[in-house]
Amino acid sequence: MAGERPILVTGAAGFIGSHLVRALMLEHGAPTVCLDALTYAGDLELLTDLDPTFVHGDICDRALVRQLLREHRPRAIFHLAAETHVDRSIDAADAFVRTNVVGTFELLEAVRQSDLGDDFRFVHVSTDEVHGSLGETGLFTEASPLSPSSPYSASKAAADHLVCAYGKTHGLPAIVVRSCNNYGPRQFPEKLLPLCLLNALEGKPVPIYGDGKNVRDWIYVTDHVAALLLALERGTPGETYLIGARAERTNLEIVRALLEKAGAPLDLIQLVADRPGHDRRYAVDPSKAERELGFAPSVSLDEGLERTVAWYREHAAFCERVAHARQRRGLGRA
């Protein structure tokens, strides 16, 4: 990738975005332009050792987005900028509609009106949550209908529809990637695993919604990033790819495993009142990504949890910067 036109990453100072930028710059030598509004979950310090081209701005800023495309003419865009926390969307959905729907529209319109060449690709990063809740058996596939349950997942589903519509109507070369739950270093601690881990390390109660039996598939963040890079290089425009690690666990199981890695007592776990519209199970069939992209996760759940615990233990400064998040209502996406 070195020496080519740059790659634009929106939401670059977030959890997944910062890991993606690290892979692009350190592993592939790709010139990278980072766009981030630096809201509460964005952390510029996650990028400072990389020294990318960074632009502090909002994807809803039409003039800014179009100026960026004119100046840099990226060969690809990874679109990760989004409001992502379910609890926040339940309390106040307006920011989710603005960023996830209107922001995606502004980005698509800017691309449509720009001459970015025949090799340009738009990789839209979505979530398995757009499919809604599964029963005890079965898996989501790319053909599964969208049936979102929360304002967050509804806003992401709307963005997915916009991306696909721009591909069909305007020929925009877009690829949609929907991943299962991510975890790993640098994750903002309103999400389930870092929230529970940081609470446990401080001897505080570890809250889990409902009966704790909601099921999720868990993928280590660098494996998701590897899938995104494969989607860019090998994915077919107009296609959607589901990314999973075949590592389903109930919330109780994953939190217990995390606390055991941290050497924390399991009696810190407390079941709390469930949130509205809490989906019971997500699970994806990643066969298409495995077959067409050559994707395979390289980090087992056991190893990933060990790495995660070690990173948070060794990065007290990061934990202190985001300590205020543990005082918020959010109890973690799961």
Side-chain angles (χ1 to χ4, degrees), residues 35-49:
L35 175 62
D36 200 292
L38 295 179
T39 58
Y40 72 94
D43 187 349
L44 190 54
E45 292 194 32
L46 299 180
L47 302 173
T48 50
D49 63 315

Side-chain angles (χ1 to χ4, degrees), residues 110-121:
V111 170
R112 182 178 73 84
Q113 297 180 23
S114 302
D115 179 15
L116 298 176
D118 294 337
D119 62 341
F120 173 79
R121 294 292 183 268

Side-chain angles (χ1 to χ4, degrees), residues 23 69 82 96 117 127 151 176 178 228 236-237 245 247 262 267-268 285 300 308 319:
L69 297 191
F96 290 76
T127 170
V176 176
R178 297 183 185 133
L228 294 177
T236 301
D267 60 9
L268 290 175
D285 180 355
S300 69
T308 301
C319 298

Side-chain angles (χ1 to χ4, degrees), residues 1-8 24-25 28-33 52-53 75:
M1 293 184 184
E4 299 177 347
R5 287 158 50 200
I7 292 175
L8 172 62
L24 286 168
M25 298 186 70
H28 298 279
T32 306
V33 178
T53 299
R75 81 169 185 93

Side-chain angles (χ1 to χ4, degrees), residues 148-177:
S149 300
S150 70
Y152 158 63
S153 55
S155 68
K156 289 296 289 184
D160 286 14
H161 282 311
L162 277 172
V163 171
C164 294
Y166 269 70
K168 293 176 181 178
T169 301
H170 300 296
L172 194 148
I175 298 161
V176 176
V177 179

Side-chain angles (χ1 to χ4, degrees), residues 34-305:
C34 299
L35 175 62
D36 200 292
L38 295 179
T39 58
Y40 72 94
D43 187 349
L44 190 54
E45 292 194 32
L46 299 180
L47 302 173
T48 50
D49 63 315
L50 303 175
D51 194 28
T53 299
F54 182 80
V55 179
H56 181 194
D58 189 336
I59 56 171
C60 294
D61 184 338
R62 177 174 299 184
L64 172 64
V65 171
R66 297 185 184 192
Q67 178 185 349
L68 277 178
L69 297 191
R70 286 194 303 269
E71 289 183 359
H72 297 283
R73 295 197 70 250
R75 81 169 185 93
I77 294 175
F78 284 102
H79 178 34
L80 293 91
E83 294 282 346
T84 64
H85 190 47
V86 175
D87 286 5
R88 289 176 182 269
S89 79
I90 293 170
D91 290 341
D94 49 346
F96 290 76
V97 173
R98 180 181 182 276
T99 299
N100 300 355
V101 183
V102 177
T104 299
F105 162 75
E106 292 292 356
L107 201 55
L108 292 168
E109 271 292 284
V111 170
R112 182 178 73 84
Q113 297 180 23
S114 302
D115 179 15
L116 298 176
D118 294 337
D119 62 341
F120 173 79
R121 294 292 183 268
F122 185 99
V123 181
H124 176 64
V125 181
S126 187
T127 170
D128 58 1
E129 293 194 38
V130 299
H131 292 293
S133 189
L134 272 173
E136 294 183 1
T137 61
L139 298 170
F140 292 133
T141 71
E142 287 78 5
S144 297
L146 305 192
S147 183
S149 300
S150 70
Y152 158 63
S153 55
S155 68
K156 289 296 289 184
D160 286 14
H161 282 311
L162 277 172
V163 171
C164 294
Y166 269 70
K168 293 176 181 178
T169 301
H170 300 296
L172 194 148
I175 298 161
V176 176
V177 179
R178 297 183 185 133
S179 173
C180 65
N181 276 31
N182 281 230
Y183 72 99
R186 304 183 182 90
Q187 190 170 25
F188 191 75
E190 67 183 358
K191 304 296 186 179
L192 179 67
L193 295 195
L195 174 75
C196 291
L197 175 58
L198 294 179
N199 276 17
L201 292 177
E202 295 178 8
K204 295 179 179 179
V206 173
I208 298 180
Y209 279 135
D211 61 6
K213 295 182 180 179
N214 301 73
V215 175
R216 304 292 184 262
D217 184 9
W218 293 90
I219 190 168
Y220 194 67
V221 61
T222 56
D223 281 333
H224 182 199
V225 165
L228 294 177
L229 295 174
L230 287 169
L232 172 62
E233 297 304 319
R234 302 178 185 177
T236 301
E239 294 295 322
T240 295
Y241 299 94
L242 299 186
I243 305 301
R246 303 182 189 271
E248 288 185 58
R249 298 291 190 278
T250 67
N251 289 346
L252 272 175
E253 288 172 336
I254 193 75
V255 171
R256 283 171 176 161
L258 183 73
L259 267 55
E260 287 172 353
K261 297 291 184 187
L266 299 185
D267 60 9
L268 290 175
I269 294 174
Q270 292 185 2
L271 299 180
V272 299
D274 210 351
R275 71 179 175 211
H278 195 183
D279 290 328
R280 192 63 170 175
R281 175 173 173 255
Y282 305 136
V284 304
D285 180 355
S287 298
K288 180 178 177 181
E290 294 167 349
R291 182 176 64 252
E292 297 187 13
L293 305 181
F295 169 72
S298 62
V299 181
S300 69
L301 184 61
D302 186 68
E303 180 183 356
L305 291 176

Side-chain angles (χ1 to χ4, degrees), residues 308-327:
T308 301
V309 170
W311 190 90
Y312 279 93
R313 283 190 182 280
E314 295 166 5
H315 291 81
F318 172 86
C319 298
E320 290 172 4
R321 284 202 311 275
V322 297
H324 68 280
R326 301 199 296 279
Q327 308 301 320

